[in-house]
Each structure stands twice: as C-alpha cells, then as structure tokens.
Amino acid sequence: LGIKLQKYTGFYMVNGFYAEKYSQDILKKKIGIGVDFITSSLGSAISGNAIPFWQSSVSVIKPFLQNKKIQPLVKFNLGFAMANYGSDTFKDLPNKSLIAALEVGLYCSLIPKVKVLASGGYNLITGSGSSGLGVIYPVYGQITFAYEIKLKEK
C-alpha cells in the first residue's frame, strides 16, 4: 500500500494511491497485480488552475531478482482517465480515454517493509486534445513509496 507521485513530461504532477498483491496463486509470487488511482487534484491542481484529471489503472508486474534489495521490473498498465476542462467552451473536446502503458523501473527495499519504486513509462494511447484526451502525454516518470502489509494466505 503506498503513495504514488507521477510527472508527465511537459505536463502536470499527479499524485495518488497504489496497492499491489503477490500471491502463491499468481504464478507462485513471480507476477504481481497492482491498482492505482492518481489525480491532478492531489498534485498540480491542488492550488492552481491546472485541469482536474483523474486516472485509475490495473497493472501486471514482473519483478526480477525478487530476493535482492534492488529489483528491476517491468509493468503493463491498463486503465481509464478522465478530465474536467471546466467550461462549456471545451465541451467538444474528448474528456475520457483508455490508458495502456508499458513501464520499466527499479524497486529498492533498503528499509524492512518499505519499498521505493522509481520507474518510467510510455503511454501507448495518447491525445492531442482534438483527437484523444489532451492531458495524456506519452512519456512519464514516477516514484512510489509503499509500506508492505502481509495478509494471511489460505
């Protein structure tokens, strides 16, 4: 369970929440499933005139070197994004989009139960505003701070 800070290249800072699960039932803990929710309302739009933007996605995560303190990983994210342009002037612009992104990064676990994920991604679906949601830029970087909570498995 964690806090996610994301920055689109040339766009806003968006922040939110993140959770992931590894289970013996999911390929013996070799693949993880993640979910996140990020918004500009917790980032650039918190005190400015940035466009309110919300995004939620589900991830499939493949870490490598799982027993090491630093673990490379790849992720595939699939989700949905929405923006509120705030004026009828922009009512003809697309304000919703699917999200599909590839991501690579590193998990760092130097403190027990605390993970830091630094990664970069590429959105496969982007928009210019006139075709597609104009707040989804192709390249992004992010950092996620997570605290490990172990749930009992059956």
Side-chain angles (χ1 to χ4, degrees):
L1 191 58
I3 296 170
K4 183 174 184 174
L5 311 170
Q6 182 171 313
K7 172 79 168 105
Y8 284 106
T9 303
F11 194 58
Y12 304 146
M13 184 71 158
V14 291
N15 303 318
F17 305 99
Y18 178 78
E20 64 183 43
K21 170 82 173 145
Y22 290 86
S23 170
Q24 285 296 112
D25 297 334
I26 307 172
L27 294 174
K28 300 195 186 295
K29 294 188 178 183
K30 293 186 189 317
I31 299 285
I33 303 295
V35 295
D36 69 19
F37 172 77
I38 56 175
T39 176
S40 64
S41 298
L42 294 174
S44 297
I46 202 164
S47 65
N49 64 351
I51 297 168
F53 165 71
W54 303 272
Q55 177 181 317
S56 185
S57 62
V58 175
S59 305
V60 176
I61 309 149
K62 173 57 180 148
F64 301 93
L65 308 172
Q66 285 184 291
N67 295 324
K68 304 293 182 187
K69 290 187 182 221
I70 296 178
Q71 304 169 11
L73 67 96
V74 294
K75 287 174 68 175
F76 178 71
N77 308 312
L78 191 61
F80 182 76
M82 188 169 89
N84 178 0
Y85 295 118
S87 171
D88 284 342
T89 305
F90 305 109
K91 70 178 185 266
D92 294 330
L93 296 178
N95 67 343
K96 298 176 182 132
S97 178
L98 290 177
I99 297 290
L102 296 173
E103 206 173 300
V104 295
L106 291 173
Y107 274 125
C108 190
S109 184
L110 301 176
I111 301 170
K113 295 191 171 261
V114 175
K115 276 186 173 180
V116 176
L117 166 62
S119 62
Y122 184 79
N123 280 310
L124 303 171
I125 302 171
T126 62
S128 65
S130 58
S131 68
L133 184 57
V135 297
I136 301 175
Y137 283 58
V139 177
Y140 63 89
Q142 66 184 16
I143 188 161
T144 302
F145 300 95
Y147 184 78
E148 184 178 336
I149 299 171
K150 296 226 181 207
L151 302 175
K152 290 184 181 182
E153 293 195 32
K154 296 178 187 178

